[in-house]
Each structure stands twice: as C-alpha cells, then as structure tokens.
mmCIF file of all heavy atoms in Angstrom:
data_model
loop_
_atom_site.group_PDB
_atom_site.id
_atom_site.type_symbol
_atom_site.label_atom_id
_atom_site.label_comp_id
_atom_site.label_asym_id
_atom_site.label_seq_id
_atom_site.Cartn_x
_atom_site.Cartn_y
_atom_site.Cartn_z
ATOM 1 N N ALA E 1 0.838 -1.205 0.022
ATOM 2 C CA ALA E 1 -0.018 -0.010 0.000
ATOM 3 C C ALA E 1 0.853 1.242 0.001
ATOM 4 O O ALA E 1 0.562 2.264 0.681
ATOM 5 C CB ALA E 1 -0.955 -0.017 1.208
ATOM 6 N N GLY E 2 1.960 1.208 -0.705
ATOM 7 C CA GLY E 2 2.831 2.377 -0.867
ATOM 8 C C GLY E 2 3.701 2.640 0.388
ATOM 9 O O GLY E 2 4.359 3.666 0.475
ATOM 10 N N LYS E 3 3.777 1.688 1.312
ATOM 11 C CA LYS E 3 4.548 1.844 2.500
ATOM 12 C C LYS E 3 5.521 0.683 2.592
ATOM 13 O O LYS E 3 5.308 -0.386 2.066
ATOM 14 C CB LYS E 3 3.630 1.841 3.747
ATOM 15 C CG LYS E 3 2.501 2.750 3.622
ATOM 16 C CD LYS E 3 2.345 3.585 4.836
ATOM 17 C CE LYS E 3 1.154 4.542 4.748
ATOM 18 N NZ LYS E 3 1.482 5.782 4.222
ATOM 19 N N GLN E 4 6.664 0.951 3.287
ATOM 20 C CA GLN E 4 7.701 -0.081 3.442
ATOM 21 C C GLN E 4 7.317 -1.033 4.558
ATOM 22 O O GLN E 4 6.937 -0.618 5.644
ATOM 23 C CB GLN E 4 9.021 0.621 3.746
ATOM 24 C CG GLN E 4 10.170 -0.397 3.823
ATOM 25 C CD GLN E 4 11.489 0.278 3.989
ATOM 26 O OE1 GLN E 4 11.856 1.124 3.250
ATOM 27 N NE2 GLN E 4 12.243 -0.095 5.062
ATOM 28 N N ALA E 5 7.427 -2.284 4.222
ATOM 29 C CA ALA E 5 7.122 -3.348 5.213
ATOM 30 C C ALA E 5 8.363 -4.318 5.225
ATOM 31 O O ALA E 5 9.225 -4.284 4.291
ATOM 32 C CB ALA E 5 5.942 -4.147 4.824
ATOM 33 N N THR E 6 8.457 -5.132 6.314
ATOM 34 C CA THR E 6 9.496 -6.105 6.438
ATOM 35 C C THR E 6 8.944 -7.530 6.230
ATOM 36 O O THR E 6 7.944 -7.812 6.820
ATOM 37 C CB THR E 6 10.135 -5.981 7.847
ATOM 38 O OG1 THR E 6 10.613 -4.746 8.068
ATOM 39 C CG2 THR E 6 11.249 -6.993 8.006
ATOM 40 N N LYS E 7 9.603 -8.242 5.409
ATOM 41 C CA LYS E 7 9.211 -9.634 5.179
ATOM 42 C C LYS E 7 10.369 -10.514 5.588
ATOM 43 O O LYS E 7 11.507 -10.353 5.192
ATOM 44 C CB LYS E 7 8.930 -9.839 3.626
ATOM 45 C CG LYS E 7 8.696 -11.283 3.276
ATOM 46 C CD LYS E 7 8.511 -11.395 1.737
ATOM 47 C CE LYS E 7 8.540 -12.755 1.220
ATOM 48 N NZ LYS E 7 8.519 -12.812 -0.231
ATOM 49 N N VAL E 8 10.026 -11.499 6.440
ATOM 50 C CA VAL E 8 10.957 -12.440 6.954
ATOM 51 C C VAL E 8 10.439 -13.857 6.743
ATOM 52 O O VAL E 8 9.300 -14.133 7.090
ATOM 53 C CB VAL E 8 11.292 -12.226 8.470
ATOM 54 C CG1 VAL E 8 12.293 -13.249 8.944
ATOM 55 C CG2 VAL E 8 11.735 -10.811 8.748
ATOM 56 N N VAL E 9 11.231 -14.674 6.073
ATOM 57 C CA VAL E 9 10.858 -16.088 5.811
ATOM 58 C C VAL E 9 11.912 -16.975 6.459
ATOM 59 O O VAL E 9 13.126 -16.736 6.248
ATOM 60 C CB VAL E 9 10.756 -16.370 4.326
ATOM 61 C CG1 VAL E 9 10.355 -17.814 4.056
ATOM 62 C CG2 VAL E 9 9.844 -15.386 3.648
ATOM 63 N N GLY E 10 11.525 -17.961 7.187
ATOM 64 C CA GLY E 10 12.498 -18.871 7.857
ATOM 65 C C GLY E 10 11.880 -20.235 8.025
ATOM 66 O O GLY E 10 10.682 -20.468 7.956
ATOM 67 N N ASP E 11 12.829 -21.135 8.204
ATOM 68 C CA ASP E 11 12.471 -22.563 8.544
ATOM 69 C C ASP E 11 12.540 -22.742 9.990
ATOM 70 O O ASP E 11 13.550 -22.366 10.682
ATOM 71 C CB ASP E 11 13.414 -23.487 7.784
ATOM 72 C CG ASP E 11 13.120 -23.508 6.288
ATOM 73 O OD1 ASP E 11 12.020 -23.166 5.862
ATOM 74 O OD2 ASP E 11 14.023 -23.888 5.538
ATOM 75 N N THR E 12 11.559 -23.358 10.601
ATOM 76 C CA THR E 12 11.502 -23.646 12.035
ATOM 77 C C THR E 12 12.357 -24.886 12.363
ATOM 78 O O THR E 12 12.748 -25.639 11.450
ATOM 79 C CB THR E 12 10.054 -23.908 12.482
ATOM 80 O OG1 THR E 12 9.583 -25.132 11.925
ATOM 81 C CG2 THR E 12 9.111 -22.773 12.067
ATOM 82 N N PRO E 13 12.574 -25.113 13.642
ATOM 83 C CA PRO E 13 13.328 -26.323 14.035
ATOM 84 C C PRO E 13 12.606 -27.654 13.588
ATOM 85 O O PRO E 13 13.238 -28.608 13.419
ATOM 86 C CB PRO E 13 13.391 -26.230 15.567
ATOM 87 C CG PRO E 13 13.354 -24.765 15.827
ATOM 88 C CD PRO E 13 12.399 -24.190 14.756
ATOM 89 N N THR E 14 11.266 -27.546 13.377
ATOM 90 C CA THR E 14 10.540 -28.760 12.969
ATOM 91 C C THR E 14 10.386 -28.797 11.397
ATOM 92 O O THR E 14 9.560 -29.525 10.891
ATOM 93 C CB THR E 14 9.138 -28.788 13.594
ATOM 94 O OG1 THR E 14 8.445 -27.611 13.212
ATOM 95 C CG2 THR E 14 9.216 -28.927 15.103
ATOM 96 N N ARG E 15 11.186 -28.073 10.703
ATOM 97 C CA ARG E 15 11.276 -27.997 9.235
ATOM 98 C C ARG E 15 10.030 -27.449 8.573
ATOM 99 O O ARG E 15 9.696 -27.813 7.412
ATOM 100 C CB ARG E 15 11.642 -29.350 8.710
ATOM 101 C CG ARG E 15 12.891 -29.919 9.136
ATOM 102 C CD ARG E 15 13.218 -31.274 8.530
ATOM 103 N NE ARG E 15 14.560 -31.621 8.845
ATOM 104 C CZ ARG E 15 15.555 -31.612 7.939
ATOM 105 N NH1 ARG E 15 15.317 -31.276 6.743
ATOM 106 N NH2 ARG E 15 16.743 -31.979 8.293
ATOM 107 N N GLU E 16 9.302 -26.596 9.220
ATOM 108 C CA GLU E 16 8.199 -25.891 8.531
ATOM 109 C C GLU E 16 8.722 -24.522 8.188
ATOM 110 O O GLU E 16 9.500 -23.954 8.806
ATOM 111 C CB GLU E 16 7.049 -25.705 9.571
ATOM 112 C CG GLU E 16 6.442 -27.039 9.990
ATOM 113 C CD GLU E 16 5.378 -26.860 11.015
ATOM 114 O OE1 GLU E 16 5.425 -25.887 11.764
ATOM 115 O OE2 GLU E 16 4.489 -27.756 11.116
ATOM 116 N N ARG E 17 8.169 -24.002 7.106
ATOM 117 C CA ARG E 17 8.532 -22.694 6.596
ATOM 118 C C ARG E 17 7.408 -21.707 7.048
ATOM 119 O O ARG E 17 6.266 -21.933 6.824
ATOM 120 C CB ARG E 17 8.617 -22.726 5.066
ATOM 121 C CG ARG E 17 9.088 -21.321 4.562
ATOM 122 C CD ARG E 17 9.819 -21.410 3.291
ATOM 123 N NE ARG E 17 11.098 -22.069 3.521
ATOM 124 C CZ ARG E 17 11.900 -22.477 2.521
ATOM 125 N NH1 ARG E 17 11.591 -22.195 1.272
ATOM 126 N NH2 ARG E 17 13.070 -23.081 2.802
ATOM 127 N N ASN E 18 7.836 -20.590 7.635
ATOM 128 C CA ASN E 18 6.993 -19.557 8.098
ATOM 129 C C ASN E 18 7.271 -18.254 7.461
ATOM 130 O O ASN E 18 8.460 -17.930 7.295
ATOM 131 C CB ASN E 18 7.030 -19.419 9.630
ATOM 132 C CG ASN E 18 6.524 -20.607 10.372
ATOM 133 O OD1 ASN E 18 5.804 -21.477 9.779
ATOM 134 N ND2 ASN E 18 6.867 -20.724 11.616
ATOM 135 N N PHE E 19 6.237 -17.467 7.142
ATOM 136 C CA PHE E 19 6.383 -16.155 6.565
ATOM 137 C C PHE E 19 5.840 -15.153 7.620
ATOM 138 O O PHE E 19 4.740 -15.393 8.134
ATOM 139 C CB PHE E 19 5.532 -15.965 5.330
ATOM 140 C CG PHE E 19 6.076 -16.688 4.142
ATOM 141 C CD1 PHE E 19 6.089 -18.051 4.064
ATOM 142 C CD2 PHE E 19 6.525 -15.972 3.019
ATOM 143 C CE1 PHE E 19 6.570 -18.756 2.956
ATOM 144 C CE2 PHE E 19 6.988 -16.681 1.868
ATOM 145 C CZ PHE E 19 7.018 -18.029 1.898
ATOM 146 N N ILE E 20 6.555 -14.088 7.885
ATOM 147 C CA ILE E 20 6.124 -12.933 8.773
ATOM 148 C C ILE E 20 6.326 -11.678 8.051
ATOM 149 O O ILE E 20 7.389 -11.399 7.550
ATOM 150 C CB ILE E 20 6.871 -12.986 10.085
ATOM 151 C CG1 ILE E 20 6.728 -14.340 10.843
ATOM 152 C CG2 ILE E 20 6.385 -11.825 10.956
ATOM 153 C CD1 ILE E 20 7.587 -14.472 12.040
ATOM 154 N N ILE E 21 5.203 -10.945 7.900
ATOM 155 C CA ILE E 21 5.285 -9.645 7.261
ATOM 156 C C ILE E 21 4.806 -8.584 8.278
ATOM 157 O O ILE E 21 3.698 -8.729 8.818
ATOM 158 C CB ILE E 21 4.430 -9.563 5.932
ATOM 159 C CG1 ILE E 21 5.032 -10.518 4.906
ATOM 160 C CG2 ILE E 21 4.429 -8.174 5.391
ATOM 161 C CD1 ILE E 21 4.302 -11.814 4.801
ATOM 162 N N LEU E 22 5.595 -7.502 8.484
ATOM 163 C CA LEU E 22 5.282 -6.455 9.426
ATOM 164 C C LEU E 22 5.286 -5.123 8.728
ATOM 165 O O LEU E 22 6.181 -4.824 7.956
ATOM 166 C CB LEU E 22 6.289 -6.419 10.557
ATOM 167 C CG LEU E 22 6.438 -7.770 11.373
ATOM 168 C CD1 LEU E 22 7.662 -7.634 12.286
ATOM 169 C CD2 LEU E 22 5.189 -7.972 12.165
ATOM 170 N N LEU E 23 4.268 -4.323 9.022
ATOM 171 C CA LEU E 23 4.170 -3.018 8.494
ATOM 172 C C LEU E 23 3.729 -2.056 9.639
ATOM 173 O O LEU E 23 2.664 -2.209 10.189
ATOM 174 C CB LEU E 23 3.104 -2.944 7.408
ATOM 175 C CG LEU E 23 2.743 -1.560 6.859
ATOM 176 C CD1 LEU E 23 3.818 -1.159 5.838
ATOM 177 C CD2 LEU E 23 1.379 -1.539 6.229
ATOM 178 N N ALA E 24 4.630 -1.122 9.932
ATOM 179 C CA ALA E 24 4.359 -0.092 10.932
ATOM 180 C C ALA E 24 3.848 1.139 10.249
ATOM 181 O O ALA E 24 4.371 1.606 9.259
ATOM 182 C CB ALA E 24 5.609 0.249 11.730
ATOM 183 N N ASN E 25 2.696 1.698 10.708
ATOM 184 C CA ASN E 25 2.093 2.867 10.100
ATOM 185 C C ASN E 25 1.237 3.610 11.102
ATOM 186 O O ASN E 25 0.340 3.057 11.645
ATOM 187 C CB ASN E 25 1.246 2.462 8.874
ATOM 188 C CG ASN E 25 0.667 3.638 8.117
ATOM 189 O OD1 ASN E 25 1.419 4.551 7.734
ATOM 190 N ND2 ASN E 25 -0.586 3.777 8.048
ATOM 191 N N ASN E 26 1.634 4.896 11.289
ATOM 192 C CA ASN E 26 0.773 5.792 12.047
ATOM 193 C C ASN E 26 0.440 5.197 13.475
ATOM 194 O O ASN E 26 -0.715 5.333 13.897
ATOM 195 C CB ASN E 26 -0.497 6.139 11.303
ATOM 196 C CG ASN E 26 -1.162 7.407 11.771
ATOM 197 O OD1 ASN E 26 -0.480 8.287 12.318
ATOM 198 N ND2 ASN E 26 -2.453 7.477 11.606
ATOM 199 N N GLY E 27 1.425 4.619 14.112
ATOM 200 C CA GLY E 27 1.228 4.083 15.468
ATOM 201 C C GLY E 27 0.645 2.737 15.503
ATOM 202 O O GLY E 27 0.419 2.202 16.573
ATOM 203 N N TYR E 28 0.368 2.123 14.407
ATOM 204 C CA TYR E 28 -0.216 0.773 14.346
ATOM 205 C C TYR E 28 0.855 -0.176 13.716
ATOM 206 O O TYR E 28 1.642 0.221 12.921
ATOM 207 C CB TYR E 28 -1.451 0.686 13.475
ATOM 208 C CG TYR E 28 -2.625 1.468 14.086
ATOM 209 C CD1 TYR E 28 -2.874 2.816 13.671
ATOM 210 C CD2 TYR E 28 -3.460 0.892 15.006
ATOM 211 C CE1 TYR E 28 -3.876 3.488 14.154
ATOM 212 C CE2 TYR E 28 -4.528 1.586 15.558
ATOM 213 C CZ TYR E 28 -4.722 2.892 15.110
ATOM 214 O OH TYR E 28 -5.776 3.613 15.635
ATOM 215 N N LEU E 29 0.770 -1.450 14.220
ATOM 216 C CA LEU E 29 1.685 -2.496 13.577
ATOM 217 C C LEU E 29 0.701 -3.527 12.967
ATOM 218 O O LEU E 29 -0.048 -4.133 13.681
ATOM 219 C CB LEU E 29 2.547 -3.111 14.637
ATOM 220 C CG LEU E 29 3.451 -4.253 14.135
ATOM 221 C CD1 LEU E 29 4.434 -3.676 13.138
ATOM 222 C CD2 LEU E 29 4.188 -4.929 15.275
ATOM 223 N N TYR E 30 0.864 -3.613 11.691
ATOM 224 C CA TYR E 30 0.076 -4.636 10.938
ATOM 225 C C TYR E 30 0.939 -5.828 10.729
ATOM 226 O O TYR E 30 2.106 -5.729 10.451
ATOM 227 C CB TYR E 30 -0.364 -4.131 9.574
ATOM 228 C CG TYR E 30 -1.224 -2.848 9.634
ATOM 229 C CD1 TYR E 30 -0.638 -1.586 9.634
ATOM 230 C CD2 TYR E 30 -2.592 -2.995 9.754
ATOM 231 C CE1 TYR E 30 -1.465 -0.488 9.687
ATOM 232 C CE2 TYR E 30 -3.399 -1.846 9.795
ATOM 233 C CZ TYR E 30 -2.777 -0.615 9.745
ATOM 234 O OH TYR E 30 -3.607 0.515 9.866
ATOM 235 N N LYS E 31 0.411 -7.029 10.969
ATOM 236 C CA LYS E 31 1.171 -8.273 10.862
ATOM 237 C C LYS E 31 0.380 -9.273 10.106
ATOM 238 O O LYS E 31 -0.763 -9.547 10.362
ATOM 239 C CB LYS E 31 1.478 -8.791 12.274
ATOM 240 C CG LYS E 31 2.269 -10.065 12.283
ATOM 241 C CD LYS E 31 2.471 -10.524 13.730
ATOM 242 C CE LYS E 31 3.135 -11.915 13.758
ATOM 243 N NZ LYS E 31 3.283 -12.461 15.122
#
C-alpha cells in the first residue's frame, strides 16, 4: 500500500517454513 514493510521467511526447528510480514504505520503495527 505504498509503505515499506519487512518480510521475513524462515524454517523452524521442525522444518516448517513460516512467513512473517510487518508494516508499521501511524502508530499501528500490521502483521
């Protein structure tokens, strides 16, 4: 949405892949 966000992708110790996307905007954190 025209704003910078952080995307992190990693494998867990149990070999599952997880995606986490974080966007901070105007005092709110969208996840």
